[in-house]
Amino acid sequence: MTTATPVGDTTFFLNMTTRGEDFLYKSSGAIVAAIVVVVIIIFTVVLILLKVYNRKMRTRRELEPKGPKPATPSPQGPNSNSNQHPATVTFSPVDVHVETR
């Protein structure tokens, strides 16, 4: 009959796992902080690019020659008669109730 005898001290392995877990917890905080910093940097770069693009497009719009505006087509369509007047809608307040005192 054989009996199992402890070969070594198991507290050594227990201490190693808690140290490793502590290291993981501390490094995970640093990883989260690094991700936040990277996101802020990306957001700042995109914001600066958008501002530069907006300024560039605004100056382009301001500097382009102002020609006569193209004639807008009539709302009745191209086949309509130019002598016809657009239909007008009149509003008659029938349902308005005025409070009398």
Side-chain angles (χ1 to χ4, degrees), residues 39-57:
V39 167
I40 290 173
I41 290 172
I42 290 173
F43 180 74
T44 305
V45 168
V46 169
L47 184 68
I48 290 171
L49 287 175
L50 284 174
K51 286 179 75 170
V52 168
Y53 176 76
N54 188 22
R55 184 175 296 141
K56 179 179 163 184
M57 293 306 292

Side-chain angles (χ1 to χ4, degrees), residues 24-101:
L24 286 176
Y25 287 131
K26 290 177 184 176
S27 64
S28 67
I31 291 171
V32 169
I35 290 172
V36 168
V37 167
V38 168
V39 167
I40 290 173
I41 290 172
I42 290 173
F43 180 74
T44 305
V45 168
V46 169
L47 184 68
I48 290 171
L49 287 175
L50 284 174
K51 286 179 75 170
V52 168
Y53 176 76
N54 188 22
R55 184 175 296 141
K56 179 179 163 184
M57 293 306 292
R58 190 177 73 194
T59 55
R60 183 180 291 174
R61 279 192 309 257
E62 290 174 354
L63 293 177
E64 70 183 12
K66 304 276 189 217
K69 291 186 178 181
T72 58
S74 65
Q76 297 166 351
N79 297 335
S80 68
N81 235 349
S82 62
N83 293 337
Q84 292 178 347
H85 295 289
T88 58
V89 178
T90 57
F91 174 73
S92 58
V94 177
D95 235 2
V96 176
H97 301 287
V98 179
E99 184 178 328
T100 58
R101 293 185 180 197

